[in-house]
């Protein structure tokens, strides 16, 4: 028996969420006294054996190239491995791909499914884990009634731990299946940092007065290696793309540092960002609700504060 | 084309979330329930597809009788009929099974990509798996041509165009239609919704694989440390030395 973890790759490279998931699987397997098996799909540019550094004992590389839009094919291939390995617990990062394949996998394996998990199981018989609920406004302790369980791990919720371990690597040919969905074109925003995985997020709201003023937001983000985000009104008016909308009905983010510029901090916005470890707010209005939720704040005009902040961070970077 | 839209009834987005004193359930006192915002985009898109191609839009919901106002609102927005499975929606697999039983007779099965209460985001994918259908998850664009489906979805750092055939499951979000295009009920819609069919069916007694034990709220943060405007250097120092965030 082992804990199985899907080691997602994108363009052949493992993602941050993958290392979080492998670490999580290893920690949980240790508690259960079993081994950790990672499974990859498709051609890898990265070395599969490096997953041993995060606690995998064995890596099974599915050789079939299955497109990520083929959720059925991906979940079927992982299910083959889960059955072969007798895995009662499968860990998947709750990324775009993970969200699509994990529920299908749970149905295939006749397993319970719990998503947005933020901690290792507090109990193993039955499995009980803490997950996010009400779009970040609360946590739920959920219990799985089945002897098998698929857990989808919330991004940035679990720290990556390197173990200096090593993993054996084997190859596996899964059954070939015909995909019901085909990819016809991919449009990539190059150099963009994935919001879900970003360590730092710089976000701005209506206080910026217009899309032409986003230059300083992007400059600050680039300087910090951060992702850029925005509030709902800003994406609704079309100043910024929908993909940048964070909040209860947009993306949920959980970076180390969240900088909110000209965002008042409506309850719907806070729900999507309050898992951030440190929050900074810059707003002209001292009554803005965000000041009640943030860790640090500057009451002032973004058009004056942000350029000065950029300058100070540049100085800091030059000296550190 | 027969379109099924699966909808959830969720607390209004402005709701403060509190729990009963034993922390076992949501305290629904003073909470207004609405159509799950992701489902609203899907419902409007379904009605637009019906205008283009003809057919019907049915809304389906798993929940108790006091959720019926949410279904009546969907009918007022423009759905033709509604089905309510009379059961508490607690486990995603249970809900997916109940909805799949209904969905097998439809050409296009749509739902929001997640509900804003339990955020499982799993019911559409589970329906697709149970019925052996394709799925476009996080769908931001959709066109139907005969039985051909072309869709768009968000991927890490970009978007992807997809092609497939009916029947299919679509888990949608904003982009399917814009916020400003969302249909809202008008007086005529509200009047006709009263007489549109709302069929109540009993649950199939499907297995519940997960159960909620308890709820808790996130820890409160310490009060906000204010830095004088003009003193951004101090903020940078705090973020580095104290918060260890940069």
């Amino acid at each position: 028996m082992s804990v199985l973890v899907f080691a997602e790759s994108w363009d052949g490279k493992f993602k941050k969420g993958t290392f979080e998931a492998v670490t999580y699987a290893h920690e949980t397997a240790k508690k259960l006294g079993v081994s950790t098996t990672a499974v990859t799909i498709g051609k890898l540019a990265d070395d599969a054996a490096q997953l041993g550094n995060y606690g995998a004992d064995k890596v099974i590389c599915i050789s079939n190239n299955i497109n990520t839009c083929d959720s059925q094919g991906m979940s079927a291939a992982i299910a083959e491995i889960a059955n072969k390995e007798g895995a009662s617990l499968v860990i998947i990062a709750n990324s775009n791909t993970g969200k699509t394949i994990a529920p299908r996998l749970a149905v295939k394996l006749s397993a319970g499914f719990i998503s947005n998990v933020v901690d290792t199981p507090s109990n193993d018989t039955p499995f009980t884990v803490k997950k996010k609920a009400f779009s970040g406004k609360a946590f739920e302790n959920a219990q799985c009634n089945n002897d098998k369980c698929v857990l989808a791990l919330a991004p940035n919720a679990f720290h990556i731990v390197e173990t200096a371990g090593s993993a054996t690597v084997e190859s596996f040919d899964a059954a070939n299946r015909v995909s019901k969905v085909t990819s016809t074109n991919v449009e990539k925003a190059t150099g963009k940092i994935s919001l879900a995985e970003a360590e730092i997020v710089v976000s701005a709201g209506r206080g910026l007065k217009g899309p032409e003023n986003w230059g300083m937001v992007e400059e600050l983000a680039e300087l910090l290696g951060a992702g850029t985000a925005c509030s709902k009104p800003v994406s609704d008016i079309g100043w910024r793309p929908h993909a940048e909308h964070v909040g209860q009905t947009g993306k949920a983010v959980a970076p180390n540092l969240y900088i909110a510029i000209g965002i008042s901090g409506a309850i719907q916005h806070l729900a999507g960002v309050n898992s951030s470890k440190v929050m900074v707010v810059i707003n002209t209005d001292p009554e803005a609700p965000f000041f009640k939720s943030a860790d640090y704040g500057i009451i002032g005009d973004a058009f004056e504060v942000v350029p000065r902040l950029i300058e100070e961070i540049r100085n800091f970077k030059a000296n550190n | 084309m027969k379109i099924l839209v699966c909808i959830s009834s969720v607390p209004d987005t402005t709701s403060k979330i509190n729990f009963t004193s034993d922390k076992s359930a949501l305290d629904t006192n003073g909470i207004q329930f609405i159509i799950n915002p992701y489902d609203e985009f899907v419902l409007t898109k379904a009605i637009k597809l019906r205008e283009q191609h003809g057919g019907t839009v049915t809304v389906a919901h798993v929940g108790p009788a006091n959720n019926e106002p949410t279904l009546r609102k969907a009918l007022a927005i423009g759905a033709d009929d509604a089905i309510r499975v009379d059961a508490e929606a607690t486990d995603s697999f249970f809900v997916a099974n109940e909805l799949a039983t209904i969905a097998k007779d439809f050409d296009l099965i749509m739902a929001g990509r997640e509900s804003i209460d339990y955020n499982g985001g799993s019911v559409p994918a589970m329906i697709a798996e149970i019925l052996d259908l394709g799925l476009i998850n996080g769908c931001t664009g959709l066109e139907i041509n005969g039985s051909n489906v072309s869709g768009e979805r968000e991927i890490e750092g970009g978007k992807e165009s997809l092609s497939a055939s009916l029947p299919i499951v679509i888990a949608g979000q904003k982009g399917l239609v814009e916020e400003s295009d969302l249909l809202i009920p008008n007086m005529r819609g509200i009047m006709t919704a009263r007489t549109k069919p709302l069929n109540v069916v009993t649950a199939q007694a499907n297995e519940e694989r997960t159960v909620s034990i308890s709820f808790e709220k996130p820890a409160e943060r310490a009060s906000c440390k204010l830095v004088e405007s003009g003193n951004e250097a101090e903020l940078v120092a705090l973020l580095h030395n104290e918060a260890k965030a940069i």
Side-chain angles (χ1 to χ4, degrees), chain A residues 6-286:
Chain A
F6 172 51
E8 185 184 345
S9 57
W10 194 253
D11 287 338
K13 289 198 163 58
F14 293 124
K15 302 170 56 177
K16 188 177 147 218
T18 303
F19 301 130
E20 290 170 359
V22 175
T23 301
Y24 183 98
H26 172 65
E27 297 279 324
T28 307
K30 231 173 23 184
K31 276 193 191 177
L32 299 172
V34 299
S35 64
T36 305
T37 303
V39 49
T40 70
I41 296 181
K43 215 178 215 133
L44 287 176
D46 278 351
D47 178 15
Q50 69 167 285
L51 296 175
N53 292 339
Y54 305 92
D57 299 296
K58 177 160 79 172
V59 185
I60 301 177
C61 300
I62 296 173
S63 53
N64 315 49
N65 269 317
I66 309 173
N67 193 294
T68 59
C69 71
D70 180 13
S71 53
Q72 204 169 14
M74 288 186 93
S75 53
I78 299 169
E80 279 186 56
I81 305 284
N83 289 329
K84 183 169 95 79
E85 295 289 302
S88 58
L89 188 61
V90 184
I91 313 296
I92 293 185
N94 208 23
S95 60
N96 274 344
T97 303
K99 281 177 187 172
T100 307
I101 60 177
R104 280 190 177 264
L105 183 62
V107 171
K108 274 197 216 299
L109 297 176
S110 300
F113 176 65
I114 302 173
S115 64
N116 284 316
V117 170
V118 294
D119 208 350
T120 46
S122 55
N123 191 3
D124 53 34
T125 36
F127 277 117
T128 311
V129 285
K130 188 166 161 179
K131 66 171 288 256
K132 289 189 192 185
F134 295 97
S135 305
K137 289 177 180 175
F139 295 104
E140 174 188 353
N141 292 298
Q143 177 187 303
C144 181
N145 293 336
N146 281 46
D147 51 356
K148 281 188 199 166
C149 193
V150 175
L151 301 181
L153 193 60
N156 279 2
F158 202 77
H159 280 295
I160 295 169
V161 181
E162 299 204 31
T163 61
S166 65
T168 59
V169 177
E170 56 189 71
S171 176
F172 180 82
D173 297 324
N176 278 317
R177 297 171 177 84
V178 178
S179 178
K180 295 191 174 74
V181 181
T182 322
S183 173
T184 52
N185 186 41
V186 170
E187 225 175 279
K188 262 189 208 163
T190 46
K192 279 285 231 181
I193 291 168
S194 148
L195 262 185
E197 294 197 335
E199 294 279 356
I200 302 179
V201 173
V202 178
S203 186
R206 259 185 308 192
L208 255 60
K209 297 189 167 71
E212 67 279 7
N213 297 325
W214 246 260
M216 61 181 187
V217 175
E218 283 171 346
E219 192 182 347
L220 179 58
E222 200 185 322
L223 197 55
L224 292 168
T228 52
C230 70
S231 66
K232 180 169 184 287
V234 163
S235 99
D236 285 348
I237 344 170
W239 291 358
R240 299 297 290 180
H242 295 322
E244 285 199 2
H245 164 203
V246 295
Q248 192 171 3
T249 56
K251 286 200 171 61
V253 293
N256 257 330
L257 175 61
Y258 183 80
I259 303 179
I261 303 165
I263 299 175
S264 64
I267 186 168
Q268 300 96 318
H269 184 79
L270 294 176
V273 304
N274 67 7
S275 301
S276 311
K277 289 186 186 67
V278 179
M279 290 204 281
V280 173
V281 55
I282 298 167
N283 206 300
T284 47
D285 178 10

Side-chain angles (χ1 to χ4, degrees), chain A residues 72 104 108 131 134 137 139-141 143 145 182-185 187 242 251 276 293 295-297, chain B residues 15 117-119 129 132-133 154 159-161 163 178 209 211-214 216 221 225 227 242:
Chain A
Q72 204 169 14
R104 280 190 177 264
K108 274 197 216 299
K131 66 171 288 256
F134 295 97
K137 289 177 180 175
F139 295 104
E140 174 188 353
N141 292 298
Q143 177 187 303
N145 293 336
T182 322
S183 173
T184 52
N185 186 41
E187 225 175 279
H242 295 322
K251 286 200 171 61
S276 311
S293 299
D295 303 284
Y296 301 97
Chain B
S15 304
D117 48 5
Y118 298 100
N119 311 98
E129 188 60 31
D132 189 21
L133 295 178
E154 225 176 76
K159 56 185 176 183
E160 184 175 35
S161 304
S163 76
E178 295 304 313
R209 291 181 178 170
V211 59
S212 282
I213 302 296
S214 62
E216 56 195 83
R221 281 173 196 260
K225 213 174 247 188
V227 173
E242 190 178 85

Side-chain angles (χ1 to χ4, degrees), chain B residues 155-174:
Chain B
I155 53 170
E156 309 294 330
K159 56 185 176 183
E160 184 175 35
S161 304
L162 302 161
S163 76
S165 311
L166 294 178
I168 192 169
V169 177
I170 302 291
Q173 58 180 337
K174 185 155 63 180

Side-chain angles (χ1 to χ4, degrees), chain B residues 78-114:
Chain B
D80 298 289
D81 60 335
I83 302 169
R84 181 175 66 82
V85 179
D86 189 29
E88 287 289 343
T90 51
D91 168 56
S92 54
F93 180 71
F94 172 85
V95 172
N97 254 318
E98 295 297 336
L99 292 172
T101 306
I102 297 166
K104 61 181 192 302
D105 302 323
F106 287 81
D107 305 303
L108 180 61
I109 300 137
M110 304 177 80
R113 71 151 208 236
E114 69 180 69

Side-chain angles (χ1 to χ4, degrees), chain B residues 12-233:
Chain B
D12 177 26
T13 57
T14 59
S15 304
K16 286 209 166 71
I17 298 299
N18 288 305
F19 299 102
T20 52
S21 54
D22 64 355
K23 308 279 181 227
S24 69
L26 177 71
D27 180 359
T28 55
N29 261 330
I31 286 191
Q32 185 163 4
F33 283 82
I34 57 166
I35 299 177
N36 177 42
Y38 291 106
D39 302 343
E40 272 195 286
F41 290 104
V42 169
L43 178 59
T44 293
K45 181 67 190 183
I47 292 166
K48 285 182 187 289
L49 287 171
R50 183 189 62 193
E51 282 167 9
Q52 287 168 15
H53 305 283
T56 54
V57 174
T58 301
V59 288
H61 171 70
V62 179
N66 51 11
N67 290 357
E68 283 192 1
T70 306
L71 284 170
R72 287 285 172 208
K73 188 180 173 197
L75 293 171
I77 288 171
D80 298 289
D81 60 335
I83 302 169
R84 181 175 66 82
V85 179
D86 189 29
E88 287 289 343
T90 51
D91 168 56
S92 54
F93 180 71
F94 172 85
V95 172
N97 254 318
E98 295 297 336
L99 292 172
T101 306
I102 297 166
K104 61 181 192 302
D105 302 323
F106 287 81
D107 305 303
L108 180 61
I109 300 137
M110 304 177 80
R113 71 151 208 236
E114 69 180 69
S115 65
I116 64 163
D117 48 5
Y118 298 100
N119 311 98
S122 52
V123 169
M126 285 182 175
I127 295 173
E129 188 60 31
I130 293 164
L131 297 179
D132 189 21
L133 295 178
L135 164 75
I136 300 179
N137 203 16
C139 184
T140 51
L142 180 67
E143 295 308 326
I144 309 285
N145 194 344
S147 67
N148 295 325
V149 177
S150 42
E152 201 172 77
R153 68 167 182 146
E154 225 176 76
I155 53 170
E156 309 294 330
K159 56 185 176 183
E160 184 175 35
S161 304
L162 302 161
S163 76
S165 311
L166 294 178
I168 192 169
V169 177
I170 302 291
Q173 58 180 337
K174 185 155 63 180
L176 266 185
V177 296
E178 295 304 313
E179 181 94 10
S180 52
D181 295 330
L182 282 180
L183 295 171
I184 48 170
N186 56 26
M187 194 44 83
R188 194 170 156 269
I190 294 167
M191 298 302 286
T192 53
R194 290 181 188 165
T195 53
K196 284 179 179 173
L198 193 167
N199 300 308
V200 179
V201 298
T202 46
Q204 310 271 313
N206 281 305
E207 176 192 6
E208 294 195 18
R209 291 181 178 170
T210 59
V211 59
S212 282
I213 302 296
S214 62
F215 293 91
E216 56 195 83
K217 304 234 285 180
E220 297 269 341
R221 281 173 196 260
S223 63
C224 181
K225 213 174 247 188
L226 287 179
V227 173
E228 210 57 43
S229 173
N231 212 353
E232 286 73 19

